[in-house]
Amino acid sequence: MKIRNKLLIGFTALMAILIVLTFVSYERLNSSNKQIDQMYQERYLKVRFTSAVRGEVNDIAKVLANLLLNPNNSISAAEGDLKEMKDRGMVTS
């Protein structure tokens, strides 16, 4: 077998392997992209909403603590604070 044929077979095999690896890498990249989108849609948004709820609970706890610890505060002032939070969309009920 001539050296030309050996080089041609080797180069062809190398190009075939390179093409196969390109397609496999492309499919794996698409799969990773889908998994990241799923993680964002299913998990990250829930964590973000949970953090927002925790902040709202802390704000309500502050109002209630102020009401309990400061006898000069009136109930109507606390209700006003809660109404402000509700108007801002912080309290749902």
Side-chain angles (χ1 to χ4, degrees):
M1 190 177 257
K2 292 183 180 179
I3 190 83
R4 179 180 181 267
N5 289 339
K6 289 180 182 178
L7 285 174
L8 189 60
I9 291 171
F11 183 72
T12 305
L14 187 64
M15 290 303 291
I17 291 171
L18 185 64
I19 290 171
V20 168
L21 284 176
T22 301
F23 285 123
V24 168
S25 299
Y26 183 74
E27 289 300 318
R28 295 279 173 103
L29 189 62
N30 280 339
S31 174
S32 296
N33 192 23
K34 288 177 186 176
Q35 288 176 348
I36 289 172
D37 286 342
Q38 179 184 9
M39 184 172 41
Y40 176 76
Q41 292 295 329
E42 292 180 3
R43 296 182 183 121
Y44 175 72
L45 293 177
K46 291 176 184 177
V47 169
R48 197 171 78 182
F49 292 144
T50 304
S51 298
V53 168
R54 188 179 330 160
E56 293 171 10
V57 169
N58 286 337
D59 289 340
I60 293 170
K62 287 177 192 175
V63 170
L64 292 176
N66 286 338
L67 182 64
L68 292 173
L69 296 175
N70 190 356
N72 296 332
N73 255 353
S74 65
I75 294 176
S76 61
E79 286 176 347
D81 290 341
L82 289 173
K83 185 174 180 344
E84 281 181 27
M85 285 184 220
K86 187 173 183 177
D87 291 341
R88 286 185 293 179
M90 294 179 70
V91 179
T92 56
S93 60

